[in-house]
Amino acid sequence: CQSIRDWDELQYASRSFSAHGSYSESKLMDAMLSMEFAKRLADAGHGAGKITCNCLDPGTVNTKMLLAGWGPCGIDVEDALDETWLCSDDEVDGVSGEYFIWKSPRRAAGAAYDQGERE
């Protein structure tokens, strides 16, 4: 998802519901919120040396919901440890405002970095 389709209609009350669209928009909003928190913390003098704020894509994880809907098509829950890594590893100490996939910094959708879009 590259942008939020309709900021005034996030609940899909009057637009046709799309499970994929809703999920994609929620993931974009996670990235937007993380980038905004990182910026605000830095602007307030609580930069990466004190507090960090990052986000990640954990990949496809075989959660109960995924297994019920599509069957096993991802990694085992026990192997989904990127969140733990991002919160605790020295490798990312002092890193803030980043988006990670498989423990590597990547670029999120452009709207995540767009100050005007986040406001």
Side-chain angles (χ1 to χ4, degrees), residues 33-100:
L33 183 63
S34 296
M35 301 311 166
E36 186 64 23
F37 279 165
K39 180 190 178 311
R40 289 183 185 201
L41 287 166
D43 289 351
H46 306 292
K50 296 180 180 182
I51 302 172
T52 61
C53 187
N54 297 292
C55 58
L56 63 85
D57 178 343
T60 304
V61 180
N62 288 329
T63 61
K64 288 180 184 178
M65 183 173 70
L66 183 79
L67 293 171
W70 292 276
C73 59
I75 61 173
D76 290 336
V77 170
E78 295 80 18
D79 295 328
L81 298 173
D82 285 11
E83 292 89 346
T84 303
W85 168 83
L86 189 55
C87 291
S88 61
D89 199 280
D90 289 342
E91 183 180 345
V92 289
D93 186 35
V95 175
S96 193
E98 294 292 334
Y99 175 75
F100 291 87

